[in-house]
Amino acid sequence: MATAPKEAENAIGLEEIHMERQEPQKGQKTFTVEEAVETIGFGKFHIALFLIMGSTGVVEAMEIMLIAVVSPLIRCEWQLQDWQVALVTTMVFFGYMVFSIVLGLLADRYGRWKILLLSFLWAAYFSLLTSFSPSYIWFVFLRAMVGGGVAGHAQGLIIKTEFLPTKYRGYMLPLSQVFWLTGSLLIIGLASVVNPTIGWRWLIRIASIPGILLILVFKFIPESARYNVSTGNVAAALATLQKIAKMNGAVMPEGVLTEPAKERRGRFKDLIHPKYLRTTLQIWIIWLGIAFAYYGVILASAELLERDLVCGSAEAPVRDSSHESEEGRSPCHCRLLSPDAYQTMIISTVGEIALNPLNILGINFLGRRLSLCITMGCTALFFLLLNICVSSAGTIGFLFMLRALVSANFNTIYIYTAEVYPTTMRALGMGTSGSLCRVGAMVAPFISQVLINASFIGALCLFASVCIVCAISAFTLPIETKGRALQEERTADVTKTYTTKAVSASNSSQKPELHQSIS
């Protein structure tokens, strides 16, 4: 009988989870990080968190959208063909794809805050170097490195998610789209002024300034308490929660903070464990499709504006005959964006927030799955509507709605992915999803900048078809996360092991309270 508890403990596996040795005294109250976050509630800390971590979206948008407004200039400077221009965007997302997995893995093992800081330093450094690119090859390589740094910006969203109370996540996280919109509008506005005057190299240098400034305020945001407690650093987690409570003017829950430490964190095989396999595969499909549609819209918009492919103008374009022969002999045509084109890009970009209120209502009342299914279906519809021969104003209207819908898709899948995985694999789950997302983004340039020139209808129908597949995948997701607390356990097999062995211990009349405390 004396060996029964020891056998149960070995079966549970100390390599998987270390129970606190200094257990609370009998009758003493305890609480978890989840309970502390809910008790403290929303306050000043969360506002500061929203502003600082949300601003990572400004930097990310500027770095990603930069390619759309710089492409026409580098096309002319280095006499690039369509596939070479598309390759720039593809390599940016290739860097993002590779680093997204690596940084997600490191964030689950070494902390969200450290990886976020490292990614900002990395992106700012290589972004500045890009402005000194002596050739097309160097430009492509350095922008790929920038993409790798930007991949770590997702840790800002994870930190926000892990500090927000459950009922506020569905409202505050979609509002983060305001920061992405701000970054997009800022880079387009800067490009309209800087590109025609001092050139694209200075545009890149100016665009790197917000990222450098944001690094200076990261010190005001602590490491995730959920991460700290998952590593066994309960003291740091408690100190963080106490500071948040003090800042919010709230009180901590009574008792002792007790949660088991998870030794194995950020393991890829956890993502494909039977409990999460179907969810993971469907999430990957949705991320890939959403990115394919989102960047397809952005780059197709630039192509439409660059070539003025609106109904009627494409059939009878007005060209300067003095430049006809020169353009015909060139391997590419220099078609710089006009002031009107920049204005139209700003209008369509504003569309990204047009449906935000409806998106928030859908997420909170219809749920994540149904809301995503509806917006993906509508995205497919508007891609098909672009095939209709309409005026310039009509095309702008369609692009406006597409930007609104693809933005809503991103909002929803970001929230769902952050909520569906437990703390020990949340960053890796986001990282792998972000990686698959960039596969879609890597393919998009060749459809929206190359195939669209060969078959306009074919390219748009392809985008619509992918969106329909994503809508079906969203509708059939096995888990709905609306109103659900963030999960802390690692995987189903560990939970099952705890319960099974605890019952065994209980049947042996040894520590019968073990089953209750673990389950």
Side-chain angles (χ1 to χ4, degrees):
M1 296 294 293
T3 61
K6 183 177 180 180
E7 291 175 355
E9 185 181 42
N10 290 338
I12 292 174
L14 290 178
E15 75 281 0
E16 296 288 348
I17 182 170
H18 288 296
M19 303 298 290
E20 293 292 332
R21 289 300 178 187
Q22 296 181 349
E23 297 182 358
Q25 297 178 358
K26 186 175 181 180
Q28 187 176 18
K29 293 183 178 180
T30 64
F31 64 91
T32 64
V33 173
E34 177 70 26
E35 292 168 343
V37 169
E38 297 297 331
T39 301
I40 293 171
F42 187 86
K44 294 180 181 179
F45 168 79
H46 297 91
I47 295 175
L49 177 73
F50 178 76
L51 293 176
I52 296 175
M53 292 293 100
S55 296
T56 61
V58 175
V59 178
E60 183 175 356
M62 292 184 70
E63 293 293 356
I64 296 298
M65 290 292 295
L66 183 72
I67 300 301
V69 293
V70 165
S71 291
L73 284 85
I74 64 170
R75 182 202 298 268
C76 292
E77 180 169 328
W78 290 315
Q79 292 291 286
L80 305 178
Q81 298 182 30
D82 286 341
W83 71 268
Q84 291 175 304
V85 176
L87 184 63
V88 175
T89 306
T90 297
M91 290 306 296
V92 170
F93 291 124
F94 177 76
Y96 197 119
M97 178 189 71
V98 174
F99 278 79
S100 189
I101 297 177
V102 174
L103 295 179
L105 180 67
L106 294 176
D108 273 335
R109 294 188 177 184
Y110 302 108
R112 287 83 160 100
W113 190 92
K114 294 176 184 177
I115 298 304
L116 182 63
L117 178 63
L118 175 64
S119 68
F120 263 80
L121 291 170
W122 180 282
Y125 174 71
F126 282 102
S127 184
L128 285 174
L129 283 184
T130 304
S131 65
F132 299 98
S133 300
S135 65
Y136 167 73
I137 298 299
W138 271 107
F139 184 86
V140 171
F141 171 74
L142 292 173
R143 289 315 295 180
M145 292 296 100
V146 174
V150 172
H153 293 189
Q155 301 309 316
L157 176 75
I158 294 176
I159 291 175
K160 282 190 296 181
T161 302
E162 294 184 340
F163 276 123
L164 280 171
T166 302
K167 69 177 182 179
Y168 290 96
R169 291 200 304 267
Y171 295 95
M172 297 303 295
L173 295 179
L175 287 178
S176 299
Q177 186 62 28
V178 173
F179 296 100
W180 179 276
L181 174 67
T182 301
S184 299
L185 293 177
L186 185 57
I187 195 64
I188 295 172
L190 284 171
S192 65
V193 175
V194 176
N195 279 346
T197 53
I198 55 180
W200 62 268
R201 295 179 185 273
W202 276 104
L203 176 65
I204 294 177
R205 292 164 190 159
I206 295 172
S208 66
I209 294 176
I212 297 173
L213 295 177
L214 194 57
I215 293 172
L216 303 178
V217 297
F218 278 168
K219 64 180 180 180
F220 296 106
I221 299 300
E223 177 60 87
S224 166
R226 294 178 189 270
Y227 167 77
N228 278 331
V229 82
S230 74
T231 64
N233 194 354
V234 177
L238 182 61
T240 296
L241 293 171
Q242 289 172 339
K243 289 179 181 178
I244 295 173
K246 182 178 180 181
M247 189 172 179
N248 285 2
V251 294
M252 289 282 291
E254 294 183 5
V256 179
L257 176 60
T258 58
E259 282 193 19
K262 287 81 175 177
E263 284 298 317
R264 295 194 178 182
R265 305 179 303 278
R267 299 193 305 173
F268 182 79
K269 70 177 184 179
D270 293 343
L271 292 177
I272 56 176
H273 184 275
K275 179 179 180 180
Y276 292 107
L277 178 59
R278 179 182 163 188
T279 301
T280 296
L281 293 177
Q282 290 184 228
I283 284 177
W284 286 350
I285 291 172
I286 295 170
W287 272 93
L288 191 152
I290 288 177
F292 180 68
Y294 181 83
Y295 294 104
V297 170
I298 292 176
L299 297 172
S301 300
E303 291 295 304
L304 286 167
L305 298 171
E306 192 179 329
R307 291 169 171 76
D308 196 28
L309 283 177
V310 292
C311 186
S313 62
E315 297 176 358
V318 178
R319 297 192 182 190
D320 186 349
S321 59
S322 63
H323 296 288
E324 187 77 28
S325 59
E326 181 181 350
E327 288 189 353
R329 292 191 301 268
S330 176
C332 67
H333 303 299
C334 289
R335 294 175 289 267
L336 302 183
L337 295 175
S338 65
D340 288 341
Y342 283 116
Q343 183 178 358
T344 304
M345 289 180 71
I346 290 175
I347 294 173
S348 63
T349 301
V350 171
E352 293 202 7
I353 203 172
L355 295 181
N356 216 28
L358 289 177
N359 185 219
I360 292 174
L361 290 175
I363 288 172
N364 288 282
F365 292 98
L366 298 179
R368 281 57 161 155
R369 294 181 298 184
L370 183 57
S371 178
L372 183 57
C373 176
I374 293 173
T375 54
M376 287 302 305
C378 291
T379 304
L381 174 62
F382 274 92
F383 266 119
L384 295 176
L385 289 177
L386 273 179
N387 286 300
I388 300 176
C389 186
V390 294
S391 64
S392 178
T395 302
I396 294 173
F398 288 152
L399 291 175
F400 182 90
M401 286 303 299
L402 271 173
R403 291 293 288 270
L405 288 165
V406 294
S407 174
N409 295 334
F410 256 128
N411 276 341
T412 310
I413 195 60
Y414 260 115
I415 295 172
Y416 182 85
T417 306
E419 290 178 335
V420 77
Y421 292 117
T423 299
T424 50
M425 52 192 283
R426 186 168 295 123
L428 181 59
M430 288 291 293
T432 53
S433 298
S435 179
L436 267 294
C437 162
R438 304 312 152 180
V439 173
M442 288 166 62
V443 177
F446 291 96
I447 307 302
S448 57
Q449 293 179 314
V450 180
L451 179 61
I452 200 170
N453 293 323
S455 175
F456 189 72
I457 294 176
L460 295 180
C461 287
L462 179 57
F463 282 121
S465 299
V466 171
C467 290
I468 291 173
V469 171
C470 290
I472 295 172
S473 185
F475 185 74
T476 58
L477 280 167
I479 301 173
E480 173 58 69
T481 62
K482 185 185 77 168
R484 192 181 77 154
L486 293 184
Q487 304 300 294
E488 299 298 334
E489 74 273 10
R490 187 176 60 80
T491 55
D493 63 332
V494 176
T495 304
K496 182 178 179 181
T497 302
Y498 297 159
T499 305
T500 301
K501 296 307 176 183
V503 170
S504 175
S506 178
N507 291 339
S508 301
S509 300
Q510 298 294 331
K511 299 183 71 174
E513 72 278 6
L514 181 62
H515 178 268
Q516 181 180 3
S517 64
I518 294 178
S519 59

